[in-house]
Amino acid sequence: MMTDYSEEQRNELEALESIYPDSFTVLSEKPTTFTITVTSEAGENDEKKYPDETPLYEIVSQENLDDNDVTDIIKLLEQQAEENLGMVMIFTLVSAVQDKLNEIVDQIKTRREEEKKQKEREAEEEEKQRFHGTPVTIENFLNWKAKFDAELLEIKRKKMKEEEQAGKNKLSGKQLFEMDHNLDTSDIQFLEEAGNSVEVDESLFQEMDDLELEDEEDDPDYNPVNLDSD
């Protein structure tokens, strides 16, 4: 009697497929070829020591986190895993990471808000400086006044020369006196016209009380010049 090899091979293939459903794979039928994936059962038993050993974990991907944040999360997982040895801990680890992420997000929001407020304060200070200008002190005001009076006097003298050259009447002594007197009151006019654009330090006026000023009218040698008007 002839042996039917093909039938015996088919029967064996069916048996193997039923025994190894997850690892048996037919590659071709003519000729019949197949693969069976074999793993060590001892290795599988070694991998099942959790929760007496810490589980394996890794951060596969992340967004908007600094390297320091990632390092802190890994350290947190190590700490939590050690504290929960002997107990199932996946939920505990996930919860710890979630809380840490919330903390990091709050810190990022706080840092951004502080940066925004700082920029607003700097903008307000810059606007205030531009609005108020340079604060007036005795020194810088007197320097400005001396320069201003000199320029104003020069302008009036040039105007007088032009008027004399044009044949107009020469200014009287009274007019010359009034021209110089206007220079003496130019500081008051400056402060009135400056308005809100000038900051005045009130403490400076206290310093002026310490200045020794002499009233010319109290001087026994004082003799005002009499100027005749035209």
Side-chain angles (χ1 to χ4, degrees):
M1 181 179 177
M2 300 280 299
T3 302
D4 189 348
Y5 297 108
S6 298
E7 183 177 356
E8 288 185 4
Q9 292 174 6
R10 283 194 304 269
N11 292 336
E12 185 180 17
L13 289 176
E14 291 176 359
L16 291 173
E17 187 175 5
S18 63
I19 296 172
Y20 307 105
D22 297 328
S23 60
F24 177 81
T25 303
V26 176
L27 300 179
S28 64
E29 295 182 356
K30 294 182 179 180
T32 302
T33 56
F34 57 87
T35 61
I36 298 177
T37 302
V38 180
T39 60
S40 170
E41 293 181 356
E44 292 180 358
N45 292 333
D46 290 342
E47 294 176 359
K48 293 180 181 180
K49 291 184 180 180
Y50 165 83
D52 289 333
E53 292 182 356
T54 59
L56 299 177
Y57 49 79
E58 64 175 325
I59 298 177
V60 179
S61 63
Q62 56 86 15
E63 294 180 2
N64 302 323
L65 292 179
D66 296 335
D67 292 340
N68 292 336
D69 296 331
V70 176
T71 300
D72 290 342
I73 291 174
I74 293 176
K75 290 181 179 179
L76 176 63
L77 287 171
E78 293 174 351
Q79 176 187 352
Q80 291 294 318
E82 290 294 332
E83 293 177 357
N84 290 275
L85 284 176
M87 300 179 291
V88 291
M89 64 181 76
I90 301 302
F91 176 78
T92 302
L93 298 181
V94 173
S95 299
V97 172
Q98 183 66 61
D99 292 341
K100 184 63 177 180
L101 288 177
N102 292 338
E103 178 184 336
I104 293 173
V105 170
D106 290 340
Q107 292 174 352
I108 293 174
K109 289 181 179 180
T110 301
R111 184 169 61 250
R112 290 178 178 176
E113 289 176 358
E114 287 297 326
E115 291 175 353
K116 181 180 179 181
K117 290 180 181 179
Q118 180 64 25
K119 291 181 180 179
E120 291 176 352
R121 286 194 293 266
E122 292 175 355
E124 289 176 359
E125 185 65 23
E126 182 178 352
E127 183 67 19
K128 182 187 294 185
Q129 291 294 333
R130 184 172 59 180
F131 177 77
H132 289 292
T134 304
V136 174
T137 63
I138 293 177
E139 182 180 1
N140 63 24
F141 174 76
L142 292 179
N143 290 337
W144 173 88
K145 183 179 180 300
K147 182 178 179 181
F148 176 81
D149 290 347
E151 293 177 352
L152 184 60
L153 182 61
E154 183 65 22
I155 292 174
K156 290 186 176 182
R157 285 176 177 173
K158 288 182 179 180
K159 185 176 181 180
M160 287 171 47
K161 289 183 180 180
E162 292 176 355
E163 290 177 350
E164 290 178 358
Q165 293 176 357
K168 293 185 178 181
N169 294 330
K170 184 177 180 180
L171 292 178
S172 65
K174 180 179 180 180
Q175 290 173 321
L176 291 172
F177 175 78
E178 290 178 347
M179 181 182 70
D180 292 336
H181 179 69
N182 289 336
L183 292 178
D184 294 335
T185 59
S186 61
D187 54 347
I188 299 177
Q189 182 180 3
F190 164 76
L191 293 174
E192 291 177 347
E193 294 178 352
N196 293 331
S197 63
V198 177
E199 291 183 357
V200 178
D201 189 350
E202 295 181 359
S203 64
L204 297 177
F205 293 97
Q206 297 176 359
E207 298 176 4
M208 295 181 65
D209 294 338
D210 299 333
L211 298 177
E212 294 183 0
L213 301 178
E214 183 176 315
D215 190 347
E216 292 180 347
E217 294 182 356
D218 296 336
D219 186 353
D221 298 330
Y222 172 71
N223 184 21
V225 177
N226 294 323
L227 299 177
D228 295 333
S229 60
D230 292 343

